[in-house]
Amino acid sequence: MLGDFIFCNPTRIYFGKNSLSGLDKELPLYGKTVMLIYGKGSVKKSGLYDKVTALLKAHGKTVVEDGGVMPNPTLDKLCEGMRIAREAKADLILAVGGGSVCDYAKAVSVSAYCDEDPWEKYYIRSEPVDNKIIPVGCVLTMVGTGSEMNGGSVITNTRTKLKIGRVFGDDVFPKFSLLNPELTFSLPKYQMVAGFYDIMSHILEQYFSGEDDNTSDYIMEGLMKSLIKSSLAAVQNPLDYEARSNIMWTATLALNTLVAQGKSTDWEVHMLGQAVGAHTDATHGMTLAAVSMAYYKHILEYGLNKFRRFATEVWGVDPDGKTDRQIALEGLSAMEKWMKNIGLVMNLKNLGVTQDMIPGIVSSTLIMEGGYKILSADDVKKILLESM
Ligand code: NZQ
Ligand code: ZN
């Protein structure tokens, strides 16, 4: 480990089957008006909406609702939410849903009192937040993004076709998050496995960077092994509490900033995936799955030592009598087999990408500098074409 850091994660986690009772501890800490944010309807179907609103009522809260948050929340929706929050003078924003709902809640929390255009200020220019921030709490129903314990907030501008993830500081992290693995049981398989790959990708983005001997890499190898084992069990039996709870906590640990401390990180797969998402509105985890193999094969020779280590430590590849390149490629093959096994979308065609969309996706792809190779526009094009 070579980098210095200051680490603080201010989110209080209530984990387990009774985690909703955490609201009894948290709600009294905030004022009377709660803005309740949720998605397109899964929380009403599951009965969670009724449970949460009953608790809010029991605590004497005035509830202002903002439902209908879409997967990959848009700037237009954010403009609606920031108006509602400001007019209601919300004291607390309670997000009940997946990463999209949590991300959107954070965007509303920093934008409600922003006097400028928050898209320009916070997402394009990435300026620090210098206005009032409304505190956010989350009840998580979908596992993958880590949004429940980080400052990430991804918003899509449908006009400019840019999907940008802003990572806010710890004053924007949720103040508390309630994590009940049972609330994820109702997820359709497609969303469930997309979330599994989102977790894997978050770990890989932080693992495939740097050459230093770093404690975080050892932690990440453990997280990946746990994810691989539990994901296979959860696909067999989605009601396997042990597997689903392990995955839920792995997702949080993968992106609550812990494993990024003191090391460099990449995030290019996310830049490719987000560009695809901006042009297709496809499910986040699937966009990452579709481009990953082509990307990793493209950069393999530049980070061969780490890809070799990934193969032997995570996938148990036997190195005997093989070249480093062969070992590294076997590791990627093992990952590809696992991806197919759990049912991920492995190419861009199946996400609605057509050849004529490629130049637009190339220009929407932001280039990161922490990976083993800084991509050129031509590299991006090649990777996208290989992912078709
Ligand atoms: O809208 P509803 O009806 O709630 O349905 C959702 C949605 O259709 C459904 N769902 C969620 N929980 C459910 C459920 N259906 C049945 N039962 C449940 N328990 O699942 C669908 C997808 O939900 P969504 O919140 O969009 O998924 P996810 O959690 O993957 O969030 C994706 C968003 O997070 C961003 C992505 O870019 C994308 O916009 N990310 C946020 C990050 C962060 N904050 O750090 C990092 C990630 O890399 C990611 O970029
Ligand atoms: Zn992600």
Side-chain angles (χ1 to χ4, degrees):
M1 183 162 68
L2 299 171
D4 301 346
F5 59 86
I6 299 172
F7 176 66
C8 167
N9 191 309
T11 306
R12 188 175 297 112
I13 296 290
Y14 295 84
F15 193 96
K17 293 182 184 182
N18 297 316
S19 58
L20 209 55
S21 63
L23 284 179
D24 290 326
K25 290 211 175 75
E26 294 293 335
L27 290 177
L29 305 178
Y30 301 92
K32 202 172 163 55
T33 306
V34 176
M35 180 169 172
L36 180 64
I37 295 183
Y38 51 92
K40 291 274 191 189
S42 70
V43 294
K44 291 203 169 162
K45 222 161 126 187
S46 68
L48 180 60
Y49 171 88
D50 291 336
K51 286 184 191 155
V52 171
T53 48
L55 276 164
L56 290 168
K57 211 170 148 197
H59 284 273
K61 301 294 181 183
T62 304
V63 179
V64 181
E65 294 202 17
D66 181 12
V69 178
M70 62 291 283
N72 311 318
T74 63
L75 178 58
D76 289 344
K77 178 68 183 163
L78 170 59
C79 293
E80 204 180 296
M82 55 195 258
R83 246 192 336 268
I84 297 173
R86 192 173 183 146
E87 278 169 22
K89 299 192 176 64
D91 297 304
L92 172 71
I93 295 176
L94 188 61
V96 185
S100 293
V101 171
C102 300
D103 278 18
Y104 171 80
K106 285 179 244 176
V108 170
S109 93
V110 298
S111 302
Y113 294 99
C114 176
D115 291 330
E116 296 169 58
D117 174 351
W119 172 257
E120 287 295 325
K121 183 176 166 80
Y122 293 138
Y123 289 83
I124 298 291
R125 298 199 301 273
S126 207
E127 289 177 17
V129 182
D130 53 7
N131 51 260
K132 179 178 166 182
I133 299 168
I134 305 171
V136 171
C138 302
V139 182
L140 194 68
T141 65
M142 151 100 197
V143 167
T145 64
S147 189
E148 65 276 12
M149 204 179 190
N150 70 31
S153 172
V154 185
I155 296 294
T156 300
N157 183 330
T158 49
R159 267 177 292 278
T160 58
K161 293 220 182 294
L162 282 176
K163 182 177 184 185
I164 298 183
R166 169 71 196 267
V167 182
F168 291 106
D170 57 21
D171 47 356
V172 184
F173 282 39
K175 301 290 175 221
F176 61 90
S177 283
L178 313 181
L179 274 56
N180 177 354
E182 285 181 338
L183 292 180
T184 68
F185 284 175
S186 56
L187 273 167
K189 186 185 175 207
Y190 189 86
Q191 295 296 340
M192 178 182 83
V193 299
F196 293 173
Y197 192 71
D198 195 18
I199 305 167
M200 182 57 120
S201 181
H202 293 160
I203 301 171
L204 296 176
E205 299 274 33
Q206 298 169 94
Y207 185 77
F208 285 130
S209 178
E211 305 275 336
D212 51 315
D213 183 50
N214 197 307
T215 302
S216 287
D217 287 329
Y218 298 89
I219 297 174
M220 287 190 272
E221 285 162 358
L223 291 175
M224 285 190 272
K225 285 197 238 181
S226 172
L227 174 66
I228 293 159
K229 181 173 180 187
S230 293
S231 61
L232 292 168
V235 166
Q236 286 302 314
N237 175 17
L239 304 183
D240 181 335
Y241 184 86
E242 187 177 52
R244 297 300 288 270
S245 58
N246 279 329
I247 294 168
M248 194 169 212
W249 189 227
T250 299
T252 306
L253 291 172
L255 200 53
N256 72 350
T257 76
L258 174 74
V259 298
Q261 305 298 337
K263 86 179 291 291
S264 59
T265 56
D266 180 2
W267 295 106
E268 193 58 50
V269 168
H270 271 65
M271 297 307 108
L272 289 158
Q274 282 171 202
V276 170
H279 286 258
T280 58
D281 198 28
T283 297
H284 172 66
M286 294 305 187
T287 64
L288 308 174
V291 299
S292 283
M293 289 315 294
Y295 175 67
Y296 289 129
K297 282 182 184 157
H298 198 87
I299 64 162
L300 180 115
E301 64 184 287
Y302 304 92
L304 199 54
N305 287 340
K306 199 58 164 288
F307 281 97
R308 184 192 191 281
R309 174 173 163 176
F310 176 62
T312 57
E313 299 308 309
V314 179
W315 297 101
V317 172
D318 178 3
D320 247 19
K322 296 169 194 159
T323 65
D324 287 349
R325 196 181 149 75
Q326 279 168 337
I327 297 163
L329 282 170
E330 266 190 48
L332 286 185
S333 297
M335 180 164 89
E336 189 172 21
K337 195 170 154 211
W338 166 75
M339 292 169 77
K340 288 181 178 162
N341 238 334
I342 63 170
L344 294 166
V345 176
M346 300 298 289
N347 65 67
L348 290 173
K349 254 190 211 139
N350 289 345
L351 295 176
V353 176
T354 50
Q355 293 280 343
D356 57 306
M357 291 162 80
I358 298 288
I361 299 176
V362 173
S363 57
S364 296
T365 303
L366 305 180
I367 302 299
M368 305 304 279
E369 301 195 341
Y372 290 120
K373 181 179 197 307
I374 299 175
L375 300 185
S376 64
D378 196 45
D379 289 326
V380 172
K381 188 174 168 195
K382 275 193 192 135
I383 290 163
L384 291 171
L385 287 173
E386 275 163 35
S387 305
M388 289 293 280

